[in-house]
PDB file of all heavy atoms in Angstrom:
ATOM      1  N   GLU A   5       6.665  31.048 -30.476  1.00 84.00           N
ATOM      2  CA  GLU A   5       6.262  29.746 -31.072  1.00 84.00           C
ATOM      3  C   GLU A   5       5.106  29.945 -32.018  1.00 84.00           C
ATOM      4  O   GLU A   5       4.177  30.709 -31.737  1.00 84.00           O
ATOM      5  CB  GLU A   5       5.870  28.786 -29.962  1.00 84.00           C
ATOM      6  CG  GLU A   5       5.446  27.442 -30.442  1.00 84.00           C
ATOM      7  CD  GLU A   5       5.079  26.509 -29.300  1.00 84.00           C
ATOM      8  OE1 GLU A   5       5.217  26.897 -28.108  1.00 84.00           O
ATOM      9  OE2 GLU A   5       4.654  25.388 -29.582  1.00 84.00           O
ATOM     10  N   ILE A   6       5.128  29.231 -33.109  1.00 89.00           N
ATOM     11  CA  ILE A   6       4.049  29.263 -34.092  1.00 89.00           C
ATOM     12  C   ILE A   6       3.691  27.813 -34.421  1.00 89.00           C
ATOM     13  O   ILE A   6       4.562  26.956 -34.604  1.00 89.00           O
ATOM     14  CB  ILE A   6       4.464  29.952 -35.393  1.00 89.00           C
ATOM     15  CG1 ILE A   6       4.674  31.440 -35.150  1.00 89.00           C
ATOM     16  CG2 ILE A   6       3.444  29.771 -36.503  1.00 89.00           C
ATOM     17  CD1 ILE A   6       5.186  32.228 -36.366  1.00 89.00           C
ATOM     18  N   ILE A   7       2.383  27.568 -34.461  1.00 91.00           N
ATOM     19  CA  ILE A   7       1.900  26.226 -34.868  1.00 91.00           C
ATOM     20  C   ILE A   7       1.209  26.409 -36.190  1.00 91.00           C
ATOM     21  O   ILE A   7       0.232  27.171 -36.306  1.00 91.00           O
ATOM     22  CB  ILE A   7       0.950  25.639 -33.829  1.00 91.00           C
ATOM     23  CG1 ILE A   7       1.646  25.523 -32.470  1.00 91.00           C
ATOM     24  CG2 ILE A   7       0.466  24.246 -34.312  1.00 91.00           C
ATOM     25  CD1 ILE A   7       0.716  25.086 -31.342  1.00 91.00           C
ATOM     26  N   LEU A   8       1.702  25.766 -37.202  1.00 91.00           N
ATOM     27  CA  LEU A   8       1.151  25.843 -38.538  1.00 91.00           C
ATOM     28  C   LEU A   8       0.129  24.729 -38.751  1.00 91.00           C
ATOM     29  O   LEU A   8       0.362  23.589 -38.431  1.00 91.00           O
ATOM     30  CB  LEU A   8       2.239  25.707 -39.595  1.00 91.00           C
ATOM     31  CG  LEU A   8       3.342  26.769 -39.584  1.00 91.00           C
ATOM     32  CD1 LEU A   8       4.434  26.396 -40.578  1.00 91.00           C
ATOM     33  CD2 LEU A   8       2.790  28.137 -39.877  1.00 91.00           C
ATOM     34  N   VAL A   9      -1.016  25.116 -39.302  1.00 90.00           N
ATOM     35  CA  VAL A   9      -2.061  24.166 -39.636  1.00 90.00           C
ATOM     36  C   VAL A   9      -2.507  24.409 -41.063  1.00 90.00           C
ATOM     37  O   VAL A   9      -2.781  25.558 -41.436  1.00 90.00           O
ATOM     38  CB  VAL A   9      -3.297  24.306 -38.695  1.00 90.00           C
ATOM     39  CG1 VAL A   9      -4.354  23.300 -39.028  1.00 90.00           C
ATOM     40  CG2 VAL A   9      -2.875  24.237 -37.261  1.00 90.00           C
ATOM     41  N   ARG A  10      -2.552  23.405 -41.881  1.00 86.00           N
ATOM     42  CA  ARG A  10      -2.987  23.565 -43.266  1.00 86.00           C
ATOM     43  C   ARG A  10      -4.513  23.564 -43.321  1.00 86.00           C
ATOM     44  O   ARG A  10      -5.170  22.677 -42.785  1.00 86.00           O
ATOM     45  CB  ARG A  10      -2.433  22.469 -44.128  1.00 86.00           C
ATOM     46  CG  ARG A  10      -2.712  22.716 -45.593  1.00 86.00           C
ATOM     47  CD  ARG A  10      -1.822  21.847 -46.490  1.00 86.00           C
ATOM     48  NE  ARG A  10      -2.007  22.246 -47.875  1.00 86.00           N
ATOM     49  CZ  ARG A  10      -2.532  21.485 -48.784  1.00 86.00           C
ATOM     50  NH1 ARG A  10      -2.887  20.239 -48.499  1.00 86.00           N
ATOM     51  NH2 ARG A  10      -2.682  21.932 -50.016  1.00 86.00           N
ATOM     52  N   TRP A  18       1.226  24.546 -48.587  1.00 86.00           N
ATOM     53  CA  TRP A  18       1.748  23.364 -47.914  1.00 86.00           C
ATOM     54  C   TRP A  18       2.579  23.796 -46.719  1.00 86.00           C
ATOM     55  O   TRP A  18       3.272  24.809 -46.691  1.00 86.00           O
ATOM     56  CB  TRP A  18       2.647  22.579 -48.883  1.00 86.00           C
ATOM     57  CG  TRP A  18       1.816  21.937 -49.971  1.00 86.00           C
ATOM     58  CD1 TRP A  18       1.601  22.451 -51.214  1.00 86.00           C
ATOM     59  CD2 TRP A  18       1.150  20.726 -49.884  1.00 86.00           C
ATOM     60  NE1 TRP A  18       0.758  21.573 -51.919  1.00 86.00           N
ATOM     61  CE2 TRP A  18       0.483  20.525 -51.130  1.00 86.00           C
ATOM     62  CE3 TRP A  18       0.974  19.763 -48.899  1.00 86.00           C
ATOM     63  CZ2 TRP A  18      -0.318  19.391 -51.401  1.00 86.00           C
ATOM     64  CZ3 TRP A  18       0.208  18.639 -49.175  1.00 86.00           C
ATOM     65  CH2 TRP A  18      -0.421  18.481 -50.415  1.00 86.00           C
ATOM     66  N   LEU A  19       2.496  23.001 -45.640  1.00 88.00           N
ATOM     67  CA  LEU A  19       3.194  23.347 -44.404  1.00 88.00           C
ATOM     68  C   LEU A  19       4.714  23.417 -44.563  1.00 88.00           C
ATOM     69  O   LEU A  19       5.369  24.266 -43.928  1.00 88.00           O
ATOM     70  CB  LEU A  19       2.832  22.347 -43.267  1.00 88.00           C
ATOM     71  CG  LEU A  19       1.346  22.332 -42.890  1.00 88.00           C
ATOM     72  CD1 LEU A  19       1.138  21.338 -41.739  1.00 88.00           C
ATOM     73  CD2 LEU A  19       0.873  23.699 -42.462  1.00 88.00           C
ATOM     74  N   VAL A  20       5.284  22.584 -45.411  1.00 89.00           N
ATOM     75  CA  VAL A  20       6.730  22.620 -45.635  1.00 89.00           C
ATOM     76  C   VAL A  20       7.132  23.965 -46.203  1.00 89.00           C
ATOM     77  O   VAL A  20       8.171  24.526 -45.812  1.00 89.00           O
ATOM     78  CB  VAL A  20       7.153  21.433 -46.592  1.00 89.00           C
ATOM     79  CG1 VAL A  20       8.607  21.568 -47.005  1.00 89.00           C
ATOM     80  CG2 VAL A  20       6.870  20.102 -45.939  1.00 89.00           C
ATOM     81  N   TYR A  21       6.348  24.482 -47.098  1.00 88.00           N
ATOM     82  CA  TYR A  21       6.619  25.800 -47.685  1.00 88.00           C
ATOM     83  C   TYR A  21       6.631  26.861 -46.596  1.00 88.00           C
ATOM     84  O   TYR A  21       7.504  27.722 -46.523  1.00 88.00           O
ATOM     85  CB  TYR A  21       5.584  26.116 -48.775  1.00 88.00           C
ATOM     86  CG  TYR A  21       5.643  27.510 -49.273  1.00 88.00           C
ATOM     87  CD1 TYR A  21       6.665  27.924 -50.163  1.00 88.00           C
ATOM     88  CD2 TYR A  21       4.713  28.464 -48.898  1.00 88.00           C
ATOM     89  CE1 TYR A  21       6.747  29.193 -50.628  1.00 88.00           C
ATOM     90  CE2 TYR A  21       4.763  29.726 -49.394  1.00 88.00           C
ATOM     91  CZ  TYR A  21       5.780  30.124 -50.239  1.00 88.00           C
ATOM     92  OH  TYR A  21       5.852  31.395 -50.713  1.00 88.00           O
ATOM     93  N   MET A  22       5.623  26.814 -45.710  1.00 88.00           N
ATOM     94  CA  MET A  22       5.496  27.832 -44.647  1.00 88.00           C
ATOM     95  C   MET A  22       6.659  27.651 -43.652  1.00 88.00           C
ATOM     96  O   MET A  22       7.209  28.631 -43.159  1.00 88.00           O
ATOM     97  CB  MET A  22       4.174  27.657 -43.914  1.00 88.00           C
ATOM     98  CG  MET A  22       2.960  27.904 -44.826  1.00 88.00           C
ATOM     99  SD  MET A  22       2.925  29.548 -45.588  1.00 88.00           S
ATOM    100  CE  MET A  22       2.648  30.543 -44.150  1.00 88.00           C
ATOM    101  N   GLN A  23       7.015  26.414 -43.350  1.00 91.00           N
ATOM    102  CA  GLN A  23       8.153  26.158 -42.426  1.00 91.00           C
ATOM    103  C   GLN A  23       9.444  26.768 -43.006  1.00 91.00           C
ATOM    104  O   GLN A  23      10.244  27.358 -42.272  1.00 91.00           O
ATOM    105  CB  GLN A  23       8.361  24.694 -42.192  1.00 91.00           C
ATOM    106  CG  GLN A  23       7.423  24.062 -41.232  1.00 91.00           C
ATOM    107  CD  GLN A  23       7.666  22.608 -41.066  1.00 91.00           C
ATOM    108  OE1 GLN A  23       7.618  21.820 -42.009  1.00 91.00           O
ATOM    109  NE2 GLN A  23       7.963  22.201 -39.834  1.00 91.00           N
ATOM    110  N   ILE A  32      10.208  29.113 -32.860  1.00 90.00           N
ATOM    111  CA  ILE A  32       9.937  27.685 -32.845  1.00 90.00           C
ATOM    112  C   ILE A  32       8.703  27.432 -33.722  1.00 90.00           C
ATOM    113  O   ILE A  32       7.621  27.995 -33.471  1.00 90.00           O
ATOM    114  CB  ILE A  32       9.661  27.169 -31.412  1.00 90.00           C
ATOM    115  CG1 ILE A  32      10.884  27.400 -30.522  1.00 90.00           C
ATOM    116  CG2 ILE A  32       9.256  25.686 -31.411  1.00 90.00           C
ATOM    117  CD1 ILE A  32      10.625  27.231 -29.067  1.00 90.00           C
ATOM    118  N   VAL A  33       8.853  26.612 -34.733  1.00 92.00           N
ATOM    119  CA  VAL A  33       7.758  26.333 -35.692  1.00 92.00           C
ATOM    120  C   VAL A  33       7.364  24.875 -35.550  1.00 92.00           C
ATOM    121  O   VAL A  33       8.214  23.964 -35.698  1.00 92.00           O
ATOM    122  CB  VAL A  33       8.184  26.639 -37.125  1.00 92.00           C
ATOM    123  CG1 VAL A  33       7.026  26.331 -38.086  1.00 92.00           C
ATOM    124  CG2 VAL A  33       8.616  28.098 -37.260  1.00 92.00           C
ATOM    125  N   GLN A  34       6.096  24.665 -35.251  1.00 91.00           N
ATOM    126  CA  GLN A  34       5.535  23.295 -35.203  1.00 91.00           C
ATOM    127  C   GLN A  34       4.458  23.157 -36.243  1.00 91.00           C
ATOM    128  O   GLN A  34       3.894  24.180 -36.674  1.00 91.00           O
ATOM    129  CB  GLN A  34       4.957  23.021 -33.818  1.00 91.00           C
ATOM    130  CG  GLN A  34       5.940  23.070 -32.668  1.00 91.00           C
ATOM    131  CD  GLN A  34       5.251  22.727 -31.351  1.00 91.00           C
ATOM    132  OE1 GLN A  34       4.336  21.912 -31.303  1.00 91.00           O
ATOM    133  NE2 GLN A  34       5.722  23.320 -30.310  1.00 91.00           N
ATOM    134  N   THR A  35       4.144  21.946 -36.586  1.00 91.00           N
ATOM    135  CA  THR A  35       3.023  21.705 -37.486  1.00 91.00           C
ATOM    136  C   THR A  35       1.994  20.815 -36.751  1.00 91.00           C
ATOM    137  O   THR A  35       2.329  20.104 -35.826  1.00 91.00           O
ATOM    138  CB  THR A  35       3.472  21.035 -38.783  1.00 91.00           C
ATOM    139  OG1 THR A  35       4.058  19.779 -38.482  1.00 91.00           O
ATOM    140  CG2 THR A  35       4.418  21.923 -39.564  1.00 91.00           C
ATOM    141  N   SER A  36       0.786  20.892 -37.213  1.00 88.00           N
ATOM    142  CA  SER A  36      -0.277  20.079 -36.624  1.00 88.00           C
ATOM    143  C   SER A  36      -1.180  19.567 -37.738  1.00 88.00           C
ATOM    144  O   SER A  36      -1.374  20.257 -38.746  1.00 88.00           O
ATOM    145  CB  SER A  36      -1.050  20.936 -35.628  1.00 88.00           C
ATOM    146  OG  SER A  36      -2.035  20.163 -34.959  1.00 88.00           O
ATOM    147  N   PRO A  37      -1.748  18.360 -37.565  1.00 84.00           N
ATOM    148  CA  PRO A  37      -2.527  17.772 -38.657  1.00 84.00           C
ATOM    149  C   PRO A  37      -3.865  18.410 -38.898  1.00 84.00           C
ATOM    150  O   PRO A  37      -4.421  18.307 -40.006  1.00 84.00           O
ATOM    151  CB  PRO A  37      -2.700  16.324 -38.189  1.00 84.00           C
ATOM    152  CG  PRO A  37      -2.588  16.372 -36.729  1.00 84.00           C
ATOM    153  CD  PRO A  37      -1.610  17.471 -36.432  1.00 84.00           C
ATOM    154  N   GLY A  38      -4.415  19.103 -37.954  1.00 88.00           N
ATOM    155  CA  GLY A  38      -5.750  19.676 -38.145  1.00 88.00           C
ATOM    156  C   GLY A  38      -6.062  20.731 -37.113  1.00 88.00           C
ATOM    157  O   GLY A  38      -5.421  20.825 -36.052  1.00 88.00           O
ATOM    158  N   THR A  42      -5.083  21.079 -33.035  1.00 89.00           N
ATOM    159  CA  THR A  42      -4.236  22.214 -32.689  1.00 89.00           C
ATOM    160  C   THR A  42      -4.867  23.022 -31.561  1.00 89.00           C
ATOM    161  O   THR A  42      -4.174  23.367 -30.573  1.00 89.00           O
ATOM    162  CB  THR A  42      -4.026  23.141 -33.889  1.00 89.00           C
ATOM    163  OG1 THR A  42      -3.425  22.375 -34.934  1.00 89.00           O
ATOM    164  CG2 THR A  42      -3.118  24.283 -33.549  1.00 89.00           C
ATOM    165  N   LYS A  45      -4.515  21.148 -28.285  1.00 87.00           N
ATOM    166  CA  LYS A  45      -3.138  21.239 -27.801  1.00 87.00           C
ATOM    167  C   LYS A  45      -2.833  22.610 -27.201  1.00 87.00           C
ATOM    168  O   LYS A  45      -2.267  22.692 -26.129  1.00 87.00           O
ATOM    169  CB  LYS A  45      -2.166  20.915 -28.928  1.00 87.00           C
ATOM    170  CG  LYS A  45      -0.736  20.995 -28.577  1.00 87.00           C
ATOM    171  CD  LYS A  45       0.136  20.713 -29.801  1.00 87.00           C
ATOM    172  CE  LYS A  45       1.602  20.837 -29.454  1.00 87.00           C
ATOM    173  NZ  LYS A  45       2.436  20.563 -30.619  1.00 87.00           N
TER     174      LYS A  45
END
Side-chain angles (χ1 to χ4, degrees):
E5 181 179 356
I6 293 177
I7 302 173
L8 300 173
V9 182
R10 187 164 188 244
W18 291 94
L19 297 182
V20 172
Y21 172 75
M22 299 301 291
Q23 281 180 302
I32 299 167
V33 179
Q34 296 183 34
T35 61
S36 185
T42 303
K45 178 181 178 180

